[in-house]
């Protein structure tokens, strides 16, 4: 355990020692109280360094080609001399027993690249735990000097919202589709995207992919213009992860957008808002955890919860009663 002491890990992480980084991520994933205390101390020490990476969220439904894309995109970035970290958010991994990025055969070439660091999603039951772990792992990767941190998530439900709250740019990877399928894409997810990349724009699929790009481009134009976007964003572009086509263009668009946001204050403002959001989430979680430690409070919570569940009390009245008891 002395090897994991923050005092020892911090300088090694700052010197880009990958083993120290891996160990630190294990530390932030740990549920043990003494590990938590060490993790908090370590993160606080490293935060003072102020190192920043470009944080990119990447979402896409299974089968769209996420692994193929991340491998090709990651290799392109490391060929430019950039250091790339890949993290995953997969709240379903606890349930399925497997995890995205857990499979060693995924992204084989990228995982051997000395300028890349790939970390699978841990098996943690609830989204809150995954959120904290990922957010803290991002900070650790930044401190270790990574230029780009890619956060991958499966294209289902809440995990996208969660990832969007910790990244600078959000990229949606889509498959070539017919117009009907496009209608089924949730508006909320489209609204989150800065860039929609239609993958598999190669071979027989190319015409369908190009049509899908213009369908998405049309749909994006109908969305309300956001103040944090320059003219022309969000954009839809074709890529082929398999043939490594369109990736340079996609990267150029990402950096152009990030630079524009930096120049216009949106980049820092978004980070500040995210930091505040996560601080409040930590306080909320911590408060609830502390309350649950008290057996009397736990019993009262259960009792009032039962009353609400059976329809005997209204949720807001029961909550008011609970808060009154806490206050008194
Ligand atoms: N034609 C074509 N096929 C692709 C491309 N990218 C991926 N694929 C294929 O799509 C299938 C799914 O690719 P994966 O990279 O495993 O994608 P995924 O299911 O989103 O990712 P995982 O979450 O890793 O399972 C595989 O059969 C790939 O070979 C592409 O650019 N063009």
């Amino acid at each position: 355990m002395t090897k994991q002491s923050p005092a020892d890990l911090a300088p090694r992480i700052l010197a880009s020692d990958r083993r120290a980084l891996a160990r630190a991520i294990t530390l932030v994933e740990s549920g043990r109280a003494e590990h938590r205390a060490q993790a908090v101390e370590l993160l606080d020490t490293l935060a003072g360094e102020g190192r920043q990476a470009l944080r990119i969220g990447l979402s896409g439904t299974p089968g769209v080609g996420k692994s193929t894309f991340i491998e090709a995109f990651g290799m392109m970035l490391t060929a430019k001399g950039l250091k790339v970290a890949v993290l995953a958010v997969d709240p379903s991994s606890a349930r399925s027993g497997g995890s995205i990025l857990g499979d060693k055969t995924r992204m084989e070439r990228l995982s051997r690249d000395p300028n890349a660091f790939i970390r699978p999603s841990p098996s943690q039951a609830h989204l809150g735990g995954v959120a904290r772990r990922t957010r803290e792992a991002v900070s650790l990767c930044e401190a270790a000097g990574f230029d780009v941190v890619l956060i991958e998530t499966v294209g289902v439900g809440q995990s996208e919202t969660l990832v969007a709250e910790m990244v600078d740019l959000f990229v949606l990877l889509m498959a070539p589709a017919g117009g009907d399928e496009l209608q089924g894409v949730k508006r909320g997810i489209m609204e989150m995207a800065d860039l929609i990349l239609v993958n598999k724009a190669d071979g027989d699929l190319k015409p369908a992919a190009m049509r899908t790009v213009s369908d998405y481009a049309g749909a994006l134009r109908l969305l309300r213009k956001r103040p944090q976007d320059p003219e022309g964003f969000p954009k839809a572009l074709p890529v082929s992860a398999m043939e490594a086509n369109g990736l340079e263009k996609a990267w150029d668009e990402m950096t152009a957008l990030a630079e524009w946001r930096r120049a216009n204050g949106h980049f820092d403002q978004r980070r500040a808002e995210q930091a505040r959001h996560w601080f409040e989430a930590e306080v909320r979680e911590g408060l609830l955890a502390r309350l649950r430690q008290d057996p009397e409070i736990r019993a009262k919570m259960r009792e009032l919860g039962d009353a609400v569940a059976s329809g005997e009390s209204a949720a807001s009245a029961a909550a008011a009663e609970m808060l009154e008891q806490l206050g008194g």
Side-chain angles (χ1 to χ4, degrees):
M1 199 42 53
T2 48
K3 275 197 224 146
Q4 285 186 346
S5 87
D8 178 56
L9 278 180
R12 288 173 55 202
I13 291 171
L14 291 171
S16 302
D17 177 335
R18 297 151 58 97
R19 285 182 57 199
L21 173 61
R23 196 129 72 200
I25 296 179
T26 306
L27 195 63
V28 303
E29 284 169 0
S30 169
R32 284 170 57 183
E34 85 238 43
H35 289 170
R36 181 89 298 250
Q38 290 174 351
V40 168
E41 190 185 331
L42 175 63
L43 289 161
D44 200 37
T45 306
L46 295 173
E49 296 292 325
R51 291 189 184 172
Q52 266 194 1
L54 183 61
R55 306 172 181 173
I56 304 172
L58 180 79
S59 178
T61 45
V64 72
K66 286 189 299 301
S67 324
T68 313
F69 176 83
I70 293 172
E71 170 139 290
F73 189 69
M75 300 286 294
M76 179 198 74
L77 295 180
T78 59
K80 292 183 190 297
L82 296 169
K83 293 179 67 185
V84 181
V86 182
L87 305 169
V89 170
D90 181 10
S92 67
S93 63
R95 251 177 293 135
S96 65
S99 73
I100 54 173
L101 288 181
D103 179 354
K104 278 268 188 299
T105 60
R106 286 181 88 226
M107 304 178 228
E108 217 174 307
R109 283 185 306 146
L110 189 62
S111 64
R112 283 198 305 266
D113 191 321
N115 282 324
F117 176 86
I118 302 181
R119 181 78 177 196
S121 184
S123 327
Q124 279 200 29
H126 67 111
L127 209 54
V130 176
R132 174 200 265 172
R133 166 266 174 195
T134 309
R135 183 164 41 85
E136 293 180 345
V138 170
S139 304
L140 292 170
C141 292
E142 292 191 313
F146 283 88
D147 302 294
V148 177
V149 180
L150 270 174
I151 308 175
E152 174 189 10
T153 185
V154 282
V156 284
Q158 287 177 299
S159 60
E160 268 118 352
T161 319
L162 196 140
V163 169
E165 274 162 358
M166 55 177 89
V167 295
D168 305 312
L169 302 176
F170 195 80
V171 178
L172 213 50
L173 199 63
M174 296 296 212
D180 292 350
E181 284 167 80
L182 192 138
Q183 312 251 310
V185 176
K186 292 205 186 68
R187 190 189 165 94
I189 291 178
M190 292 264 288
E191 280 173 345
M192 250 185 265
D194 294 306
L195 209 55
I196 292 183
L197 300 179
V198 179
N199 193 28
K200 310 194 184 183
D202 50 48
D204 292 348
L205 287 168
K206 190 159 186 180
M210 300 314 284
R211 271 198 308 277
T212 309
V213 168
S214 47
D215 286 348
Y216 281 129
L220 288 172
R221 274 194 295 274
L222 296 178
L223 294 180
R224 188 160 35 94
K225 176 139 174 46
R226 305 176 299 189
Q228 71 271 28
D229 287 338
E231 214 36 60
F233 278 93
K235 259 182 202 173
L237 297 172
V239 293
S240 166
M242 205 171 66
E243 296 183 347
N245 260 332
L247 304 180
E248 288 279 354
K249 168 91 174 131
W251 174 241
D252 287 347
E253 296 290 356
M254 289 179 211
T255 46
L257 179 58
E259 269 162 33
W260 187 88
R261 286 184 182 165
R262 276 205 176 91
N264 288 277
H266 296 296
F267 194 94
D268 289 342
Q269 189 190 341
R270 175 158 162 160
R271 284 222 172 180
E273 281 165 9
Q274 289 173 338
R276 193 181 293 279
H277 167 88
W278 292 115
F279 157 70
E280 287 175 4
E282 282 286 317
V283 172
R284 207 160 40 235
E285 290 237 343
L287 265 178
L288 279 174
R290 196 172 292 182
L291 291 178
R292 284 193 205 102
Q293 278 167 7
D294 182 325
E296 240 175 79
I297 292 175
R298 246 196 345 257
K300 186 75 181 169
M301 281 287 274
R302 201 170 321 117
E303 180 196 316
L304 287 168
D306 288 347
V308 170
S310 69
E312 201 180 308
S313 308
S316 35
E321 187 181 336
M322 189 72 230
L323 290 174
E324 199 162 316
Q325 170 160 341
L326 293 175

